[in-house]
């Protein structure tokens, strides 16, 4: 059983179905990118998981506790950062985190250590005596994340955390989230800007009009959508012979060829890649590089939007 299981989770507002029977499962160390156009139901879903909105139907189990039966117990295990939040501007960073730690009943003997550790994790330890009002937008976002870190939650629910950040601040935020994932934390992060999620999500949950259109690892979704993969092959010499061998392989298309380096379009799955390597080696052609090329999240989402007739606002 995973850290988080959603079972037909549903939220209705009068006649509007904001979240329509969403089910998926997440485990330790996974970073789930919750993506979709504006109005897809992402924020409503996160607010239900954060126990701030009661579901109309269905439920979720978070760290072994049922969302409908034990919401207060779940709050001990989660850290929720909404898209807009306020911190006390006349507190220093250290005072702010001290306040949050004590508000969540962290033992007094542990508060100072947790505050220092959280500030170091978000690279704000040099600012601990500064007033919050003097921070940049990116620093405030990182401090918001630190208010969760002092509690050491198991599950992080982050709603558009990179919104409004400059490129450097986004890179810093991604580095922090990668580190948390390596520590075994489960992270659900929403965004409608796919470039914000590229390169560090392990899984995608794609929503549209309240429904979960697709869920799975990035690689699985890529193959489900495209049914094919791009492969880069580099051979040592024998470029003409290598091209002739590649053209003989059924189902393989040479997209580009440049002095012994080829980009191929292959059927999905590792078998096709293995076949390329096997045929080249059998022809005594030295292979020095053979790797799948990742498809961008934008490419995946745009392909899916056409297939599913999704409305992109």
């Amino acid at each position: 059983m995973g850290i988080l299981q959603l079972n037909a989770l549903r939220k209705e507002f009068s006649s509007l179905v904001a979240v329509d029977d969403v089910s998926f499962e997440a485990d330790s160390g996974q970073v789930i990118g919750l993506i979709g156009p504006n109005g897809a139901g992402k924020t409503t879903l996160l607010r239900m998981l954060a126990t701030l909105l009661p579901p109309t139907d269905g439920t979720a189990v978070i760290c072994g506790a049922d969302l409908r039966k034990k919401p207060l117990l779940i709050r001990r295990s989660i850290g929720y950062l909404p898209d807009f939040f306020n911190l006390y501007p006349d507190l220093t960073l250290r005072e702010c985190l001290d306040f949050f730690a004590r508000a969540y009943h962290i033992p007094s003997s542990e508060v100072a250590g947790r505050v220092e550790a959280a500030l170091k994790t978000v690279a704000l330890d040099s600012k601990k005596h500064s007033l919050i009002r003097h921070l940049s937008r990116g620093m405030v976002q990182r401090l918001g994340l630190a208010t969760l870190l002092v509690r050491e939650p198991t599950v992080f629910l982050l709603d558009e955390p990179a919104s409004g950040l400059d490129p450097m601040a986004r890179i810093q935020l991604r580095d922090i989230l990668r580190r948390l994932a390596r520590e075994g934390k489960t992270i659900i992060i929403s965004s409608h800007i796919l470039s914000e999620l590229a390169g560090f999500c392990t899984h995608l949950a794609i929503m549209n009009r309240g429904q979960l259109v697709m869920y799975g690892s990035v690689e699985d979704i890529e193959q489900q959508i495209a049914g094919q993969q791009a492969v880069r092959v580099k051979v040592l010499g024998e470029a003409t012979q290598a091209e002739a061998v590649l053209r003989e392989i059924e189902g393989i298309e040479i997209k580009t060829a440049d002095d012994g380096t080829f980009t191929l379009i292959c059927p999905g799955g590792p078998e096709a890649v293995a076949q390329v390597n096997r045929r080249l080696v059998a022809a005594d052609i030295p292979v020095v590089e053979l790797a799948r090329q990742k498809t961008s999240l934008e490419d995946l989402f745009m392909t899916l939007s056409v297939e599913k007739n999704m409305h992109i606002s």
Side-chain angles (χ1 to χ4, degrees), residues 22-301:
V22 169
S23 300
F24 66 83
E25 189 169 315
D27 215 333
S28 300
Q30 291 183 350
V31 182
I32 296 95
L34 186 60
I35 65 176
N38 290 324
K42 304 185 299 294
T43 293
T44 301
L45 179 61
L46 287 178
R47 286 177 60 81
M48 281 195 288
L49 295 178
T51 76
L52 299 177
L53 275 179
T56 304
D57 202 359
T59 191
V61 177
I62 302 175
C63 298
D66 188 282
L67 179 67
R68 299 173 74 94
K69 298 176 181 177
K70 297 182 178 179
L72 296 182
L73 182 59
I74 285 176
R75 291 184 183 184
R76 299 179 186 177
S77 302
I78 63 171
Y80 172 58
L81 192 68
D83 50 352
F84 296 103
F85 61 90
N86 292 305
L87 299 173
Y88 296 108
D90 293 323
L91 293 181
T92 65
L93 278 65
R94 187 192 61 76
E95 291 169 339
C96 173
L97 296 187
D98 184 278
F99 169 78
F100 272 89
R102 296 181 189 278
Y104 281 93
H105 306 292
I106 302 302
S108 297
S109 61
E110 299 179 17
V111 169
R114 291 202 188 191
V115 168
E116 291 297 325
L119 287 170
K120 186 175 181 180
T121 297
V122 299
L124 288 174
D125 44 325
S126 64
K127 296 281 187 180
K128 61 184 176 183
H129 298 303
S130 300
L131 295 178
I132 293 174
R133 66 167 64 253
H134 296 150
L135 298 182
S136 67
R137 174 68 186 275
M139 290 179 180
V140 170
Q141 287 293 104
R142 282 150 55 197
L143 181 60
L145 190 56
T147 65
L148 309 183
L149 292 173
V150 292
R151 298 163 40 209
E152 299 182 354
T154 302
V155 177
F156 287 78
L157 307 171
L158 310 177
D159 194 0
E160 303 273 2
S163 177
L165 299 188
D166 60 44
M168 181 56 69
R170 291 183 182 184
I171 291 171
Q172 292 169 334
L173 179 63
R174 285 200 296 266
D175 288 343
I176 293 168
L177 297 181
R178 285 194 188 101
R179 190 182 319 155
L180 291 173
R182 288 196 299 268
E183 294 173 0
K185 305 298 185 182
T186 302
I187 302 169
I188 301 181
I189 175 172
S190 78
S191 182
H192 65 282
I193 303 175
L194 302 186
S195 59
E196 291 179 356
L197 304 180
F200 75 100
C201 286
T202 62
H203 291 66
L204 297 178
I206 303 175
M207 293 188 68
N208 187 49
R209 296 171 181 167
Q211 296 182 334
L212 185 66
V213 178
M214 189 169 286
Y215 178 77
S217 69
V218 174
E219 292 79 10
D220 287 346
I221 287 181
E222 178 182 336
Q223 290 193 18
Q224 287 181 53
I225 293 175
Q228 58 186 16
Q229 56 191 327
V231 176
R232 175 184 166 89
V233 181
K234 186 174 183 179
V235 301
L236 190 61
E238 309 295 344
T240 302
Q241 183 186 355
E243 183 171 348
V245 170
L246 292 171
R247 292 192 184 281
E248 292 175 357
I249 303 175
E250 185 176 355
I252 299 295
E253 175 189 347
I254 299 178
K255 188 174 182 181
T256 64
D258 181 21
D259 193 25
T261 300
F262 304 89
T263 301
L264 312 177
I265 303 300
C266 305
E271 297 82 5
V273 181
Q275 184 185 25
V276 169
N277 185 62
R278 197 162 49 241
R279 294 286 290 272
L280 290 171
V281 171
D284 292 325
I285 299 172
V287 178
V288 295
E289 182 181 340
L290 179 62
R292 293 179 64 243
Q293 293 185 324
K294 284 189 172 293
T295 304
S296 71
L297 292 187
E298 286 87 352
D299 291 340
L300 292 179
F301 190 69

